[in-house]
Amino acid sequence: SWRSLPRICQEVALFGEATVCRIFGDFTGPRLAGWVDVSRDLGFSLVHSPRCTNGKSSTDPALIIGGMDILYTNPTIDGLVLVSSDSDFAPLCQRFRQAGKQVIGVGRRAILAGGKGAAGVLIEACHRFFYIADDLTVVPRDTRDKVDKPKVVARGK
């Protein structure tokens, strides 16, 4: 939920400065209107990814391409914060880790609770993972040994 983004930003600020802040989605309808408003308030850029055909979203590939662009064109960035409960993004997280970048994941507790199966793949691809609880609090889940604080963090929705 867009309502949790200010709290997520507070948590991420403990690890470093977020320099590239993007929200990916199809913003043509009212469903994502809250994200538009919060992006303005928090200084995020919206990356509009309209549907190519009925029933097919182009948001996931746009986020992956955007992440890879950040990885290869911004050498000073030393981390990624991914706010998603979708395990399809685990390879992106793994690629950032392979490049020596710190990876922090944030996802909905209701979807990822237990960290097994597909959910576990996303959680384990991150150095640290935080759950968004039903009351919109952000709760840490220890996934790896303690990591150094990254100086700069990139994040995407």
Side-chain angles (χ1 to χ4, degrees), residues 30-129:
R31 189 174 72 86
L32 299 181
W35 289 104
V36 175
D37 294 337
V38 78
S39 73
R40 195 174 318 115
D41 296 341
L42 297 175
F44 280 70
S45 298
L46 295 176
V47 179
H48 179 62
S49 302
R51 291 185 183 276
C52 298
T53 62
N54 281 340
K56 293 296 271 180
S57 171
S58 62
T59 301
D60 289 6
L63 190 151
I64 293 167
I65 291 167
M68 295 305 291
D69 283 348
I70 289 169
L71 181 62
Y72 288 109
T73 62
N74 295 290
T76 59
I77 288 179
D78 44 13
L80 169 76
V81 176
L82 177 73
V83 182
S84 177
S85 301
D86 189 340
S87 63
D88 289 348
F89 297 121
L92 177 64
C93 296
Q94 292 164 343
R95 184 62 192 93
F96 266 75
R97 287 178 62 111
Q98 290 168 359
K101 310 299 183 184
Q102 295 297 318
V103 179
I104 300 171
V106 182
R108 289 182 47 215
R109 179 184 291 274
I111 294 173
L112 297 168
K116 295 184 173 117
V121 172
L122 178 60
I123 292 168
E124 291 302 317
C126 301
H127 290 97
R128 294 182 186 268
F129 198 90

